[in-house]
Amino acid sequence: MIPEFDKNAAFIWASYALGAVMIGGAILTVMIKARLAQAELARTQARTEEARRK
Amino acid sequence: MFSWFANPHRFLTLSSWLAPICYALGALLIAWGLWQGLWIVPKDEYQGGDIMRVMFLHVPAAWLAMASYMGMAVMSFIWFIWRHEVADIAAKAIAPLGATWTALCLVTGSIWGKPTWGTWWQWDDARMMSVLFMFFLFLGYMALRGAMDTRQKAARAGAILAMVGAINVPLIKFSVDLFTSLHQDASVITVDGPKMAAVYLWPLLASGLGHSLLFAGLVMTLMQAEIWQRRAAQIRARLIAGD
């Protein structure tokens, strides 16, 4: 159920929509960055192991 | 105490369980604050009617913007004095997130200002300009670090900028008392205690705590990413050196 606001409803929804986009974007960026960093470290460690075995 | 936390391995262990807790609790508190703010609390005619509901996003964003800058400055100070790498990693991680929440504060404040004051922005308003200045300090911090050719130079230049810029934070807080401003006076953090009715105060505090926990979780995840990147770079350097 969507709440009904007075004449300023558009300003309220615009604020929360921008908030969702900005915070959601920050969360997504941080998660992608962490995943990439973790994968990079795993790849590098695997390469080191391989080089050591050779 | 700083030295205990300054160990990257210890930090990774601690953050691996602490960050998910921060995310879960932060999401719960933000959701409760939103539900209260948008559905439950009555509109305040004195504050312009329903538009005051923007407060449950704008005020936590403003608190976090200032707190994150102070966090970045404190971490920079710790790095500057004790040279703890984890403190520098923390300062570096806080910057982009602090900039995001400061931008959110500016944007939601501007949207709130249009129906309340009749203008999106006022260039000679001390509160608005000091927050905008802090946003540029965050951007400047990131740009300055990025412009340096070594990690040590980046940490040193960034730390100096963060510490000097910290003087802006009390200026933001007291700008509405010291200068003429369109912005209303402080109503939560005051000498005489909160001036706000409990029906608005509790959802606002819950939302503020929720945003803080989410922010802390994100900072920890970014710090983990930076530590993993540095470890990978160290291993690559050792491989190239044939060690």
Side-chain angles (χ1 to χ4, degrees):
Chain A
M1 192 181 70
I2 297 171
E4 282 180 24
F5 301 131
D6 59 19
K7 59 182 167 52
N8 292 320
F11 292 101
I12 301 166
W13 290 122
S15 293
Y16 281 96
L18 277 168
V21 168
M22 290 172 82
I23 295 173
I27 294 170
L28 201 68
T29 310
V30 168
M31 293 304 160
I32 290 172
K33 200 168 177 193
R35 283 275 168 89
L36 289 176
Q38 202 169 17
E40 188 195 347
L41 178 62
R43 254 196 325 270
T44 314
Q45 281 172 332
R47 219 178 297 147
T48 318
E49 277 299 309
E50 205 180 317
R52 219 175 268 161
R53 258 186 261 131
K54 278 178 188 173
Chain B
M1 191 186 80
F2 295 136
S3 301
W4 194 87
F5 281 113
N7 181 316
H9 181 72
R10 212 171 280 151
F11 171 78
L12 286 177
T13 311
L14 182 77
S15 60
S16 66
W17 60 266
L18 196 56
I21 292 174
C22 286
Y23 287 133
L25 274 177
L28 275 175
L29 286 167
I30 290 172
W32 187 78
L34 266 182
W35 174 64
Q36 288 284 317
L38 292 177
W39 275 271
I40 305 297
V41 301
K43 64 178 174 183
D44 186 351
E45 291 300 344
Y46 180 71
Q47 293 286 345
D50 274 324
I51 192 67
M52 49 68 66
R53 295 180 196 279
V54 176
M55 169 176 78
F56 299 99
L57 182 61
H58 173 72
V59 175
W63 287 341
L64 214 53
M66 287 190 283
S68 62
Y69 195 90
M70 282 314 291
M72 189 173 82
V74 168
M75 287 300 132
S76 298
F77 178 77
I78 292 170
W79 179 83
F80 206 77
I81 301 297
W82 292 285
R83 290 293 195 265
H84 287 326
E85 284 305 309
V86 175
D88 176 53
I89 291 169
K92 190 183 174 189
I94 290 169
L97 296 166
T100 306
W101 260 264
T102 308
L104 184 61
C105 168
L106 287 166
V107 169
T108 53
S110 180
I111 293 173
W112 193 356
K114 180 63 181 165
T116 311
W117 306 323
T119 181
W120 298 100
W121 189 260
Q122 189 75 31
W123 286 105
D124 57 1
D125 187 284
R127 173 59 68 90
M128 294 182 211
M129 290 309 290
S130 51
V131 176
L132 182 66
F133 183 62
M134 187 166 69
F135 177 64
F136 288 133
L137 279 173
F138 276 122
L139 297 187
Y141 176 88
M142 290 186 280
L144 189 62
R145 287 192 73 115
M148 296 294 156
D149 52 1
T150 67
R151 201 186 293 157
Q152 285 296 308
K153 280 185 194 170
R156 188 179 158 80
I160 292 169
L161 178 64
M163 288 188 292
V164 172
I167 200 159
N168 186 48
V169 177
L171 191 70
I172 294 172
K173 169 73 185 137
F174 297 111
S175 58
V176 285
D177 305 318
L178 298 171
F179 307 100
T180 310
S181 176
L182 283 175
H183 200 282
Q184 66 172 62
D185 292 348
S187 51
V188 179
I189 304 166
T190 68
V191 180
D192 306 321
K195 296 175 192 167
M196 193 180 282
V199 69
Y200 302 115
L201 184 63
W202 287 111
L204 185 61
L205 291 177
S207 197
L209 184 60
H211 277 265
S212 306
L213 287 170
L214 174 66
F215 191 93
L218 288 172
V219 167
M220 280 189 260
T221 305
L222 261 189
M223 288 174 70
Q224 289 172 334
E226 179 71 21
I227 292 170
W228 289 329
Q229 275 177 342
R230 288 186 185 191
R231 277 191 182 171
Q234 275 173 352
I235 294 169
R236 275 197 304 272
R238 253 185 266 148
L239 264 181
I240 292 166
D243 193 3

